[in-house]
């Protein structure tokens, strides 16, 4: 699992000397008192082909600090640290969500830093996978299988309808052993404050989850996906019956944004607040301590425009109950910028609803130096409806930077790269992954179209 180190040992114990072997004709009865024995096997036969094993390879870059005495021998300009690359391999799990297009969901930490991604299907086939996009803050990644046929996708459920006590089945590739199925119940909902991810709204389950289950499926007894397994809580990373999964409704929102924009277009409400204590609830005329307390509304924010006020208690989003401020934060962030939401609130003891249009987070902006050396000093974001065109907009630029010297200006919109249309950051990243020697950027500047050549 994430951020754990585990050692697995297996000991085979022979028992033939203790117990006599059963007769070859012995078999378990299929019925008892003319009633068929319950079994998950029929459901799993339909679902397990949609769960895959993922193997990754890549290089990790680490910094090695050198003694200051090196500068005495080699001069004051000699660096006191150097970068080291070390190869790594990793294993995880994934879930096929679209059989026709070959889309697979997994965790970001499963594929982080990977140069090659190989997927092993339930029938034994191994196929290379391409990373479409990922989001580290919510730990979700979307892959696409290359030229894959005869795939099986899993049906997605509505995770907002889950209840504590519902049965759950975890499917994945723990310890690299191969596909494994464990069962349990939903132990808790809306878990947060674990400091595992930035946006936490976990399903907790006691179905056994171990290292390698990351990115695997948590399903209900109908064989529908309710969550993506992502973390465990226990000594030495071993299973102690406390595992966590990302709700499938969050997964759907995030993957739809990755497909449309090439990244997660995070939404922002524009409030500050905290958890609702019993004392606060009583002071503000609310009978329970479930909800998100607002202590400040940011100026010119989506919340202010919707009429939210300090002291309001948000108790639902789009008709679904909110248990905590962290759950509110996770749901708003994953809904996406520009999305409309209906918030149920308590104000002065009265229930009411407000409608809000979420704004775009500044975290959606990308430092261009991460894309190409010649773009250093610029900051990019996807265009909005107000820009009137799809592309990548220069939202900020350092006037002394390399990008500025090449002629890039704040407000420029990149429409194409080397005669290839660019409609969002995802397409720009993909085009630059080819490492072209020369960048011919098609730029919209005001009402003019021009080309900038960057080497």
């Amino acid at each position: 699992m994430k951020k754990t180190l585990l050692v697995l040992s297996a000991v085979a114990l022979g028992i033939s000397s203790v117990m006599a072997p059963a007769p070859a004709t012995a078999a378990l009865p299929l019925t008892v008192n003319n009633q068929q024995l319950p079994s998950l096997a029929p459901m799993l036969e339909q679902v397990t082909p949609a769960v895959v094993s993922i193997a990754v390879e890549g290089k990790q870059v680490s910094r090695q600090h050198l003694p200051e005495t090196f500068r005495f021998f080699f001069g004051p300009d000699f660096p006191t640290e150097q970068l080291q690359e070390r190869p790594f391999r990793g294993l995880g799990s994934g879930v096929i969500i679209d059989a026709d297009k070959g889309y697979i969901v997994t965790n970001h930490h499963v594929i982080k830093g990977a140069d090659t991604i190989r997927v092993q299907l339930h029938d034994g086939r191994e196929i290379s996978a391409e990373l479409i996009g990922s989001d580290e803050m919510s730990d979700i990644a979307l892959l696409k299988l290359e030229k894959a046929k005869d795939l099986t996708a899993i049906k997605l459920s509505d995770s907002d309808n889950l209840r504590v006590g519902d049965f759950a089945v975890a499917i994945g590739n723990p310890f690299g052993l191969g596909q494994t199925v464990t069962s349990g119940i939903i132990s808790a909902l809306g878990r947060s404050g674990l400091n595992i991810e930035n946006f936490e709204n976990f399903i907790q389950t006691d179905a056994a989850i171990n290292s390698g289950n990351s990115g695997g499926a948590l399903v209900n007894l109908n064989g529908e996906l309710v969550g993506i397994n992502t973390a465990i809580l226990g000594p030495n990373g071993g299973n102690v019956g406390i595992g966590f999964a990302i709700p499938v409704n969050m997964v759907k929102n995030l993957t739809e944004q990755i497909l449309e924009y090439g990244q997660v277009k995070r939404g922002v409400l524009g409030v500050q607040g905290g958890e609702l204590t019993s004392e606060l609830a009583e002071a503000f005329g609310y009978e329970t301590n479930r909800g998100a307390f607002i202590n400040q509304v940011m100026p010119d924010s989506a919340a202010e425009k919707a009429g939210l006020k300090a002291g309001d208690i948000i108790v639902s989003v789009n008709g679904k109950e909110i248990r905590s401020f962290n759950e509110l934060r996770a749901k708003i962030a994953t809904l996406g910028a520009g999305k409309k939401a209906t918030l149920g609130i308590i104000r002065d003891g009265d229930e009411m609803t407000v409608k809000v249009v979420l704004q775009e987070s500044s975290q959606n902006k990308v430092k261009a130096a991460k894309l190409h050396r010649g773009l250093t000093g610029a900051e990019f974001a996807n265009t909005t409806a107000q820009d009137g065109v799809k592309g990548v907009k220069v939202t900020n630029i350092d006037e002394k930077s390399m990008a500025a010297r090449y002629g890039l200006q704040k407000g420029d919109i990149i429409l194409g790269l080397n005669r290839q249309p660019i409609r969002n950051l995802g397409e720009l990243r993909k085009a630059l992954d080819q490492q072209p020697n020369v960048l011919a950027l098609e730029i919209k500047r005001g009402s003019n179209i021009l080309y900038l050549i960057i080497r």
Side-chain angles (χ1 to χ4, degrees):
M1 293 307 298
K2 190 175 184 181
K3 299 180 181 177
T4 61
L5 178 65
L6 297 98
V7 177
L8 177 66
S9 61
V11 180
L13 300 177
I15 59 173
S16 58
S17 61
V18 180
M19 299 177 60
T25 56
L28 290 174
L30 297 179
T31 61
V32 174
N33 296 329
N34 295 323
Q35 292 185 349
Q36 189 172 2
L37 292 175
S39 174
L40 296 177
M43 178 271 286
L44 291 170
E45 288 170 356
Q46 302 296 319
V47 172
T48 49
V51 183
V52 303
S53 298
I54 297 175
V56 301
E57 294 184 10
K59 293 180 180 179
Q60 290 180 333
V61 179
S62 59
R63 295 181 181 272
Q64 180 183 22
H65 292 278
L66 303 176
E68 287 286 341
T69 52
F70 276 44
R71 289 189 172 181
F72 175 79
F73 292 105
F74 300 106
D77 295 330
F78 189 84
T80 57
E81 66 177 17
Q82 64 180 10
L83 299 180
Q84 283 189 333
E85 287 188 350
R86 294 182 179 179
F88 75 91
R89 293 181 178 181
L91 295 172
S93 307
V95 184
I96 301 173
I97 60 170
D98 190 320
D100 294 331
K101 297 180 180 178
Y103 290 139
I104 291 177
V105 171
T106 186
N107 287 137
H108 169 84
H109 76 261
V110 170
I111 54 82
K112 182 179 180 181
D115 296 322
T116 61
I117 305 172
R118 299 284 297 176
V119 170
Q120 184 175 39
L121 302 178
H122 184 258
D123 59 14
R125 286 181 291 166
E126 280 198 11
I127 305 175
S128 295
E130 172 192 2
L131 176 63
I132 300 299
S134 67
D135 181 50
E136 184 172 10
M137 299 183 76
S138 55
D139 202 16
I140 283 295
L142 183 66
L143 310 178
K144 183 176 182 179
L145 291 181
E146 301 172 359
K147 302 178 181 178
K149 297 180 179 180
D150 300 322
L151 299 178
T152 299
I154 199 167
K155 185 178 180 181
L156 308 186
S157 73
D158 183 352
S159 54
D160 285 336
N161 292 332
L162 283 176
R163 298 175 301 171
V164 173
D166 286 347
F167 286 104
V169 178
I171 311 171
N173 178 31
F175 304 111
L177 292 172
Q179 194 172 85
T180 301
V181 177
T182 57
S183 65
I185 63 169
I186 301 299
S187 305
L189 297 168
R191 285 294 195 215
S192 60
L194 304 174
N195 297 319
I196 299 172
E197 297 163 8
N198 291 85
F199 297 106
E200 298 181 343
N201 179 29
F202 291 124
I203 301 166
Q204 182 181 324
T205 179
D206 66 349
I209 297 175
N210 287 286
S211 179
N213 273 110
S214 287
L218 188 69
V219 303
N220 59 24
L221 294 188
N222 292 323
E224 300 167 331
L225 186 70
V226 299
I228 296 294
N229 301 323
T230 189
I232 54 177
L233 192 64
N236 302 318
N239 171 64
V240 292
I242 302 178
F244 301 99
I246 301 170
V248 71
N249 286 6
M250 281 183 63
V251 174
K252 285 190 287 188
N253 287 333
L254 294 167
T255 53
E256 287 172 1
Q257 292 171 48
I258 289 172
L259 285 172
E260 184 173 357
Y261 305 110
Q263 66 171 123
V264 171
K265 199 173 180 182
R266 212 171 305 284
V268 170
L269 182 58
V271 298
Q272 292 185 356
E275 306 307 336
L276 182 65
T277 65
S278 56
E279 292 83 2
L280 273 174
E282 183 178 357
F284 283 85
Y286 189 44
E287 294 181 354
T288 74
N289 61 349
R290 286 192 171 187
F293 179 74
I294 300 175
N295 58 30
Q296 184 178 0
V297 175
M298 309 308 292
D300 199 33
S301 65
E304 184 184 61
K305 294 175 182 177
L308 287 173
K309 297 179 180 180
D312 286 347
I313 301 169
I314 299 178
V315 294
S316 67
V317 175
N318 293 334
K320 303 297 182 181
E321 181 185 26
I322 291 294
R323 301 169 183 82
S324 66
F325 191 85
N326 278 331
E327 184 179 357
L328 170 70
R329 181 171 174 264
K331 284 199 171 185
I332 291 296
T334 53
L335 278 175
K339 292 292 182 68
K340 297 178 181 179
T342 300
L343 306 180
I345 68 171
I346 302 294
R347 179 181 294 169
D348 299 327
D350 297 326
E351 296 185 12
M352 57 189 300
T353 60
V354 296
K355 296 185 181 297
V356 61
V357 179
L358 302 179
Q359 295 177 340
E360 185 172 0
S361 169
S362 60
Q363 293 172 332
N364 292 343
K365 298 178 181 178
V366 172
K367 297 291 184 182
K370 296 181 179 179
L371 302 176
H372 189 277
R373 178 175 173 272
L375 301 175
T376 301
E379 194 174 80
F380 293 154
N382 288 317
T383 54
T384 65
Q386 295 177 344
D387 295 309
V389 64
K390 286 190 174 183
V392 175
K393 189 172 185 177
V394 180
T395 57
N396 199 16
I397 192 164
D398 183 349
E399 295 181 358
K400 298 180 180 179
S401 67
M402 187 175 295
R405 289 200 296 270
Y406 278 117
L408 209 59
Q409 297 180 11
K410 182 178 179 180
D412 284 351
I413 297 176
I414 299 175
L415 302 177
L417 170 64
N418 295 352
R419 295 189 301 176
Q420 178 180 340
I422 300 296
R423 290 165 292 188
N424 53 54
L425 279 167
E427 292 185 357
L428 180 60
R429 281 196 186 96
K430 188 173 181 180
L432 291 173
D433 282 344
Q434 307 301 319
Q435 299 182 349
N437 294 324
V438 177
L439 307 185
L441 297 178
E442 182 183 357
I443 301 291
K444 182 178 185 297
R445 182 176 294 167
S447 58
N448 297 323
I449 302 294
L450 57 103
Y451 276 89
L452 294 180
I453 306 301
I454 295 177
R455 301 181 186 276

